[in-house]
Amino acid sequence: MDSSKILIRPYIRKVQFYETDQMGIVHHSNYIRWFEEARVDFMEQMGYGYDRATESGVDVAVLEANCKYISMVRFGESVEIAARISKLTQTRMTVEYEIRDSESSVLRSSGYTNHCYISRAKGSPIALGRELPELYSLFERCVQSC
Amino acid sequence: MDSSKILIRPYIRKVQFYETDQMGIVHHSNYIRWFEEARVDFMEQMGYGYDRATESGVDVAVLEANCKYISMVRFGESVEIAARISKLTQTRMTVEYEIRDSESSVLRSSGYTNHCYISRAKGSPIALGRELPELYSLFERCVQSC
Amino acid sequence: MDSSKILIRPYIRKVQFYETDQMGIVHHSNYIRWFEEARVDFMEQMGYGYDRATESGVDVAVLEANCKYISMVRFGESVEIAARISKLTQTRMTVEYEIRDSESSVLRSSGYTNHCYISRAKGSPIALGRELPELYSLFERCVQSC
Amino acid sequence: MDSSKILIRPYIRKVQFYETDQMGIVHHSNYIRWFEEARVDFMEQMGYGYDRATESGVDVAVLEANCKYISMVRFGESVEIAARISKLTQTRMTVEYEIRDSESSVLRSSGYTNHCYISRAKGSPIALGRELPELYSLFERCVQSC
């Protein structure tokens, strides 16, 4: 079994016009969506798309989301979002994020999301290694300590 | 069987800050969401909530949406959205909308949506009167000619 | 000068269909928008609308947002969102939130947002009591200890 | 002056999880946002980004939006959006769109948006060729008849 580290590249994202608000900056709620986009991209790079997890009957539910807004993001800019799994257990996962301007690398935001795994059939939390061992061991190969 | 006309009051809606864009006005995509809110409110006033339809296995799918932007809407304002069923058949429905400023009654937008009815189980369009006769006859009592 | 406590009622909010995702629940990013709606409603109840603050050239910017997802919210339900100012200084404010099902009062979510005050003209943080003393003293009358 | 035709490639877009609704498909309001993304990408390919237009004080305002929903789009899929200017005058522009599955090329949606040009300073519609002649002549080089 392969247990080598998997390296995930940051996710690049153009700011959309409809994401701005009347302050002339990206509305803060969109960063939570960008975190999700980065997670989905992360799993795709890892070789196990989130759509495949949901088709296997497992949802990666969000238990908590946290976002610090450090500097403003505007239309016309692009951001790069680095996501990393900082904690992983059979029942929980923490993903941490850093959003930077893709040109200047200035830090725009940092945050994290906490997750559990839900079986659609049972409607309740599950141990991921038992339900989807391949996905769990891929996640394990992505865990990074600070 | 009751066949009297059902009168539906306009739906009142405060503009949310997150609905604005950097032009300082409500982003045009939100009007399509407001139309949906008005439809949902319409069915609730009619006495057959949209959640009840979906629980009965029927979705009212959108086939087309059209919106004219007549004057700008800003944060701090409220709008009232008048929705009316202008066409109804066993397989199709057209809903027309007018959005007005709730204080001045100035017209902000007009539009329409076309719909069909989908059975979740079959995954295909159905004749509503056969599937949910109560809902269909309530819709009939709301049809308004121009 | 009036220094009596101001009591703010929870903000009631129907779940919108477009706020759901394919898990059949409200997408987690929308809670951050609901927090904002509750803040805006809070200021309106307080007698100093957020639109009046922005017209006076002051934005209440978001520095951090945190949300715990405790139980799921579905279309057809309503929530009530209790917001309270738990910390207030000349340059910072913390607002805490509890989202409950409006019928059963079951806790759906808790969270907080941290804010600073920005002058549009200067483009930089300001001391609110100096810039908009009326707003600051209204905020003071709403502060609640736990 | 260069008057050769400019060819614009379709805009490729992954479906985001937060764009789905409880029907398990992309919520119809998002197509209006995708049209905007395609317009912004169009202008970028054309060599005159929309951010540059707004910085020059000109907004391309939306007067009408229309979208036909032909087949459903799901999470895990990508779409390609072909945008073309079908009508252009000094004061108006029509952009037409076709959304197709990026793998199978099956048609998902067709639609259009009508626009006018607004001067931020004047707050009123303008003749684009007089205000931003470079932008107008680039638009001219993109016009396609059916």
Side-chain angles (χ1 to χ4, degrees), chain B:
Chain B
M1 200 187 104
D2 190 357
S3 65
S4 60
K5 278 282 164 208
I6 300 174
L7 288 181
I8 307 289
R9 291 176 307 282
Y11 171 68
I12 308 283
R13 174 65 154 74
K14 263 180 188 310
V15 172
Q16 301 302 339
F17 187 84
Y18 59 77
E19 294 175 323
T20 60
D21 65 25
Q22 68 175 42
M23 282 180 68
I25 57 173
V26 171
H27 190 267
H28 64 282
S29 61
N30 292 307
Y31 291 59
I32 306 294
R33 299 184 168 192
W34 292 358
F35 287 171
E36 181 184 277
E37 291 189 30
R39 282 197 304 279
V40 166
D41 181 72
F42 185 109
M43 290 181 67
E44 212 168 279
Q45 286 190 52
M46 200 179 75
Y48 200 112
Y50 185 50
D51 51 332
R52 193 172 146 204
T54 61
E55 278 158 24
S56 305
V58 173
D59 284 308
V60 181
V62 182
L63 296 175
E64 183 179 1
N66 186 280
C67 186
K68 288 197 173 110
Y69 304 92
I70 295 162
S71 58
M72 294 167 182
V73 183
R74 294 176 195 281
F75 176 63
E77 300 176 359
S78 287
V79 290
E80 75 175 41
I81 309 174
R84 62 184 198 89
I85 299 177
S86 60
K87 229 181 292 180
L88 180 75
T89 71
Q90 281 288 344
T91 55
R92 295 287 168 96
M93 176 166 58
T94 299
V95 186
E96 294 184 18
Y97 311 86
E98 277 190 356
I99 302 180
R100 292 177 182 277
D101 183 79
S102 64
E103 278 189 23
S104 67
S105 292
V106 170
L107 188 63
R108 296 302 189 208
S109 167
S110 66
Y112 64 82
T113 50
N114 288 323
H115 302 270
C116 68
Y117 322 107
I118 304 268
S119 155
R120 289 208 169 180
K122 298 174 202 158
S124 61
I126 50 160
L128 187 63
R130 215 167 305 154
E131 202 87 2
L132 296 179
E134 185 189 347
L135 177 56
Y136 186 72
S137 76
L138 283 167
F139 277 152
E140 274 189 313
R141 292 171 54 200
C142 294
V143 175
Q144 285 175 38
S145 46
C146 287

Side-chain angles (χ1 to χ4, degrees), chain A residues 13-39:
Chain A
R13 175 63 155 73
K14 263 181 188 308
V15 173
Q16 301 301 339
F17 187 85
Y18 59 77
E19 294 175 323
T20 61
D21 65 25
Q22 69 174 42
M23 283 180 68
I25 56 173
V26 171
H27 190 267
H28 63 282
S29 60
N30 292 308
Y31 291 59
I32 306 294
R33 299 184 168 193
W34 292 358
F35 287 171
E36 181 184 277
E37 291 189 30
R39 282 197 304 280

Side-chain angles (χ1 to χ4, degrees), chain D residues 94-123:
Chain D
T94 298
V95 186
E96 294 185 18
Y97 311 86
E98 276 190 357
I99 301 180
R100 292 177 182 278
D101 183 79
S102 64
E103 279 189 22
S104 68
S105 291
V106 170
L107 188 63
R108 297 303 189 207
S109 168
S110 66
Y112 64 82
T113 49
N114 287 323
H115 302 270
C116 67
Y117 323 107
I118 305 267
S119 155
R120 291 208 168 179
K122 299 174 201 159

Side-chain angles (χ1 to χ4, degrees), chain C:
Chain C
M1 202 188 101
D2 190 358
S3 65
S4 59
K5 280 280 163 209
I6 299 174
L7 288 181
I8 307 289
R9 291 177 306 281
Y11 171 68
I12 307 284
R13 174 66 153 73
K14 265 181 187 309
V15 172
Q16 301 301 339
F17 187 84
Y18 59 77
E19 294 175 322
T20 61
D21 65 26
Q22 70 174 40
M23 283 180 68
I25 56 174
V26 171
H27 190 268
H28 63 281
S29 60
N30 292 307
Y31 292 59
I32 306 295
R33 299 184 168 192
W34 293 357
F35 287 171
E36 181 184 276
E37 291 189 30
R39 280 196 306 279
V40 166
D41 181 71
F42 185 109
M43 289 181 67
E44 212 167 280
Q45 287 190 52
M46 200 178 74
Y48 199 114
Y50 186 49
D51 51 332
R52 194 173 145 204
T54 61
E55 279 158 24
S56 306
V58 173
D59 284 309
V60 181
V62 182
L63 295 176
E64 183 179 1
N66 186 280
C67 186
K68 289 198 173 109
Y69 304 92
I70 295 163
S71 58
M72 293 166 181
V73 182
R74 293 175 197 281
F75 176 64
E77 299 176 359
S78 288
V79 290
E80 74 176 41
I81 309 173
R84 62 184 198 89
I85 299 176
S86 60
K87 228 179 294 180
L88 180 75
T89 71
Q90 283 288 345
T91 55
R92 294 286 169 96
M93 175 166 60
T94 299
V95 186
E96 294 185 17
Y97 311 86
E98 277 191 355
I99 301 179
R100 292 177 182 277
D101 184 80
S102 64
E103 278 189 23
S104 68
S105 292
V106 170
L107 189 63
R108 295 303 189 208
S109 168
S110 66
Y112 64 83
T113 49
N114 287 322
H115 302 270
C116 68
Y117 323 107
I118 304 269
S119 156
R120 289 208 169 180
K122 298 174 202 159
S124 62
I126 50 159
L128 187 63
R130 215 167 305 154
E131 202 87 3
L132 297 178
E134 185 189 346
L135 177 56
Y136 186 71
S137 76
L138 283 166
F139 276 153
E140 273 188 314
R141 290 170 55 199
C142 295
V143 176
Q144 285 175 37
S145 46
C146 287

Side-chain angles (χ1 to χ4, degrees), chain A residues 11 13-14 16-19 33-34 36-37 40-41 44 50-51 54-55 59 75-77 120, chain D residues 11 13-14 16-19 33-34 36-37 40 44 50-51 54-55 59 75-77 120:
Chain A
Y11 171 68
R13 175 63 155 73
K14 263 181 188 308
Q16 301 301 339
F17 187 85
Y18 59 77
E19 294 175 323
R33 299 184 168 193
W34 292 358
E36 181 184 277
E37 291 189 30
V40 166
D41 181 72
E44 212 168 280
Y50 186 49
D51 51 333
T54 61
E55 278 158 23
D59 284 309
F75 177 63
E77 300 175 359
R120 291 209 167 178
Chain D
Y11 170 68
R13 175 63 154 74
K14 264 182 187 310
Q16 301 301 338
F17 187 84
Y18 60 77
E19 293 175 324
R33 298 183 169 193
W34 293 357
E36 181 183 277
E37 291 189 31
V40 166
E44 212 168 279
Y50 186 49
D51 51 332
T54 61
E55 278 158 23
D59 284 308
F75 176 64
E77 300 175 359
R120 291 208 168 179

